[in-house]
Amino acid sequence: RICRLHDVYITSIQGCLYKQTNANAPHPFGRFPSRRAALDNLIHQLRLLEQYADQDGPYLLGKEPSTADCAVFPTAIFWMHML
């Protein structure tokens, strides 16, 4: 569930973390009309990810690392440095 959320919904919009460099680009933020709209959706997806995560941790799905951790970790590092 977390891997799918990450792969389908989060990585596809993380380009909103970059500032638009070409004002004439037809769809710089994909299906979103603005960077703000894309960032709002990214925040929504991160909240969903947080709901799916195990409360006790320390990993996303409990006491042991999983493929969810492997999928999300590199992207989380990117968020930490970009947001």
Side-chain angles (χ1 to χ4, degrees), residues 17-44:
L17 297 173
Y18 299 106
K19 291 182 180 175
Q20 183 178 356
T21 57
N22 181 357
N24 298 323
H27 301 287
F29 304 112
R31 61 188 169 103
F32 299 99
S34 67
R35 182 173 188 239
R36 176 78 261 160
L39 283 169
D40 288 344
N41 188 268
L42 177 62
I43 290 165
H44 170 75

Side-chain angles (χ1 to χ4, degrees), residues 61-75:
L61 298 178
K63 296 180 191 242
E64 299 291 326
S66 66
T67 55
D69 297 289
C70 294
V72 173
F73 180 75
T75 306

Side-chain angles (χ1 to χ4, degrees), residues 5-19 28-32 35 38-39 41-43 45-46 71-80 82-83:
L5 174 72
H6 172 267
D7 293 348
V8 174
Y9 298 100
I10 294 176
T11 59
S12 64
I13 60 171
Q14 74 180 14
C16 67
L17 297 173
Y18 299 106
K19 291 182 180 175
F29 304 112
R31 61 188 169 103
F32 299 99
R35 182 173 188 239
L39 283 169
N41 188 268
L42 177 62
I43 290 165
Q45 300 302 333
L46 293 176
V72 173
F73 180 75
T75 306
I77 297 299
F78 179 70
W79 302 324
M80 288 171 50
M82 295 297 284
L83 288 178

